[in-house]
Amino acid sequence: MDSEIFDVGGYHSTVSNTSRITIPSGKGGYNFVYAYLTVQNNATGERLLRIYKNGAFVDANGDPKIAVTTNGRPAQSISTLMNLSAGDYIEVYVYQNSGGNLNYENNYFGVHYLGA
């Protein structure tokens, strides 16, 4: 993620650790985490979209936090409510097994602070 639409509060850097959104001081508490992307057309294999917290896959309340598609030009979205502390970081991981490279387009990834 090398660009931003907006970043109120310094959650993201376009210089270092660009894959991360890090919870800044004073913003610990409930946060809405979301991601969206569109995958290049390809009828082979599957696509997975996952949310990771501090480098580990998130699986809260039995919800696997995965969006799966199997073919075509699918759009994927994923979201969850998380209780995060200052310094925690969130990343989105994408996996595909079409047998070749695919472009991911129209990517959005964000965190919205709801309150302590």
Side-chain angles (χ1 to χ4, degrees):
M1 307 289 179
D2 59 0
S3 65
E4 300 170 343
I5 296 173
F6 60 88
D7 182 6
V8 178
Y11 285 77
H12 179 257
S13 172
T14 58
V15 177
S16 65
N17 295 319
T18 59
S19 67
R20 298 178 179 182
I21 292 179
T22 303
I23 305 304
S25 179
K27 296 297 182 181
Y30 294 101
N31 289 268
F32 181 69
V33 179
Y34 59 93
Y36 170 86
L37 63 86
T38 303
V39 182
Q40 176 184 344
N41 227 3
N42 187 295
T44 304
E46 65 182 7
R47 323 296 174 246
L48 301 170
L49 177 61
R50 291 183 170 185
I51 295 173
Y52 278 62
K53 173 186 172 186
N54 299 329
F57 175 55
V58 174
D59 187 3
N61 301 318
D63 184 355
K65 309 295 177 242
I66 302 174
V68 180
T69 58
T70 55
N71 55 39
R73 187 182 174 89
Q76 298 179 326
S77 65
I78 189 169
S79 63
T80 188
L81 180 65
M82 299 177 75
N83 191 359
L84 300 170
S85 299
D88 284 343
Y89 65 91
I90 303 301
E91 296 174 291
V92 174
Y93 284 51
V94 178
Y95 167 81
Q96 65 89 13
N97 64 352
S98 68
N101 294 334
L102 294 179
N103 292 325
Y104 288 84
E105 305 160 348
N106 303 318
N107 301 323
Y108 296 95
F109 170 39
V111 173
H112 182 81
Y113 175 68
L114 301 176

